[in-house]
Amino acid sequence: MVRVALASVISICFATAESGCVASGRLPRLSATHTVEELIDQGQDPSQTSLQRDFDSAYAPSAEMKRFVRENVPTDALPKQRLDALIGALETNELLNLRYQNDQTHSASETFANREGNCLSFTMMVASLAELADLEVSFQRVAVPTRWYLSDGWIALDEHINLLVRAQPNLLASGSQLVIDFNTPDFFGRYPTRTLTKAAVGALYFSNLGAESLRKGDFRRARQRLSYALRLDPSSVSALVNLAALELRNSNFDKAESALILALQEDPTHPVALASLADTYAHLGQHSLARKIEARITKLRAKDPLNLLRESQELLDAGQTQLALKKINVALKSTPSEPLLFMQRARIAVALENALQAEEDLQLAEEHSVGAIAIQQVQDLRKALLK
């Protein structure tokens, strides 16, 4: 089984078995034997020129996009008016309601033409349109809760990106800036963000394309794309993890180890990197290290709010209502503003015949929800629970 992280960022690795046989979740100090420069494809392949063109065109607006902005955003308007006009045109033309394809990464122009893609594709499209309207944009990495699911025989991990659009640089007046987020209903709340450079976003774009090539078995193209991603951003965790998956497929365990250690130096709790490193050490016969990493994964999973949510639902389905409530309360201690957790506690309250508690939790879920879709989901749950 191969593990993949999708949505805005795709990261791939081999699955590792769950294990709690080591008491400590601490990891030993690990050192990479290869640098990023030594890991990436150093060949002077003609395709690198093509990749450079791909990078240049990833954000580039098509003629249709230019016409869209020209027809909908007056050039002589004030910045705030241009922002309002652009958002209004996006809503009117249903460009804020695209078909979500979590494993399909497209350029800005492809997303505009096809009306589908993942949140990275959508964000790049809106960024390109906003820049045509002479607005300032900033890409943001969003720290959404970890969520795994199956995708074509791969295990998938969701990660997320959105866009901050400003009418004028550094202008913080009410209505002068707007976060545009192509979000699935799985993520309802407010989460920490980190600003990304365009080069970093470009690295995510090529990391996704590299992962897609790897899933199709085109290892040569995968290596080209992942190498280019790391040239754009040598600290790209997703590109390092995807490159490690490629090396694992080719039984290059020492290079896979280095790529994963470098990824964990950037993000010490990245679940895909940890799981893949455990597999790498198992292949290398370093079972003690593999077990320590598996124990670390188990410890992190035990604290993960969405994992606790899943376990709570399983307990609720089994009729173990008090244990289900205990799981949710543990999750809420570490993540006190996650709407999904309040919604689950409302379900448990109804099972315990406590309608007042259910209504209180639904109100909290609605207060912490972001966006009309998320709020509507809470309201639909209220109708279903409190008939």
Side-chain angles (χ1 to χ4, degrees), residues 166-243:
R166 288 191 179 96
Q168 287 179 301
N170 303 317
L171 186 62
L172 301 178
S174 176
S176 65
Q177 63 180 23
L178 183 68
V179 173
I180 300 177
D181 197 322
F182 182 40
N183 211 348
T184 69
D186 298 301
F187 301 125
F188 288 179
R190 297 173 175 84
Y191 308 106
T193 60
R194 177 170 60 88
T195 301
L196 298 175
T197 64
K198 275 194 175 180
V201 176
L204 297 180
Y205 175 73
F206 280 103
S207 180
N208 276 15
L209 295 181
E212 291 170 15
S213 296
L214 182 52
R215 294 174 67 187
K216 294 174 183 176
D218 188 348
F219 296 166
R220 179 174 174 273
R221 188 64 169 161
R223 185 174 297 279
Q224 291 170 350
R225 286 171 160 175
L226 294 172
S227 294
Y228 193 70
L230 288 167
R231 286 191 174 94
L232 292 172
D233 180 10
S235 65
S236 173
V237 173
S238 63
L240 287 165
V241 171
N242 290 341
L243 184 60

Side-chain angles (χ1 to χ4, degrees), residues 272-285:
V272 181
L274 285 167
S276 208
L277 189 58
D279 259 337
T280 301
Y281 285 134
H283 281 290
L284 289 170

Side-chain angles (χ1 to χ4, degrees), residues 283-333:
H283 281 290
L284 289 170
Q286 298 184 42
H287 299 294
S288 176
L289 271 177
R291 286 193 295 271
K292 287 180 179 179
I293 295 170
E294 289 167 0
R296 174 65 170 162
I297 295 168
T298 300
K299 187 174 182 180
L300 291 171
R301 186 180 292 122
K303 297 179 179 178
D304 180 79
L306 293 194
N307 184 62
L308 290 166
L309 172 61
R310 178 186 59 79
E311 293 177 351
S312 172
Q313 185 59 50
E314 290 173 354
L315 289 166
L316 183 60
D317 292 340
Q320 300 183 57
T321 315
Q322 291 296 340
L323 287 176
L325 179 60
K326 183 177 179 180
K327 288 282 185 182
I328 282 300
N329 285 335
V330 170
L332 280 166
K333 284 183 180 179

Side-chain angles (χ1 to χ4, degrees), residues 2-13 101-107 110-111 116-121 124 149 151-152 154 203-226 238-239 241-243 245-246 249:
V2 180
R3 190 173 312 227
V4 189
L6 299 172
S8 69
V9 184
I10 304 175
S11 304
I12 299 177
C13 77
Q101 301 285 336
N102 63 348
D103 58 351
Q104 296 292 319
T105 301
H106 303 301
S107 68
E110 290 169 339
T111 305
E116 67 178 21
N118 57 23
C119 56
L120 177 58
S121 308
M124 291 169 59
Y149 57 93
S151 175
D152 299 329
W154 304 60
L204 297 180
Y205 175 73
F206 280 103
S207 180
N208 276 15
L209 295 181
E212 291 170 15
S213 296
L214 182 52
R215 294 174 67 187
K216 294 174 183 176
D218 188 348
F219 296 166
R220 179 174 174 273
R221 188 64 169 161
R223 185 174 297 279
Q224 291 170 350
R225 286 171 160 175
L226 294 172
S238 63
V241 171
N242 290 341
L243 184 60
L246 177 61
R249 277 294 180 92

Side-chain angles (χ1 to χ4, degrees), residues 68 88-99 115 122:
F68 176 84
L90 290 171
E91 291 177 339
T92 300
N93 290 272
E94 297 190 345
L95 284 164
L96 296 179
N97 187 29
L98 307 185
R99 292 185 298 275
R115 300 296 202 272
F122 168 82

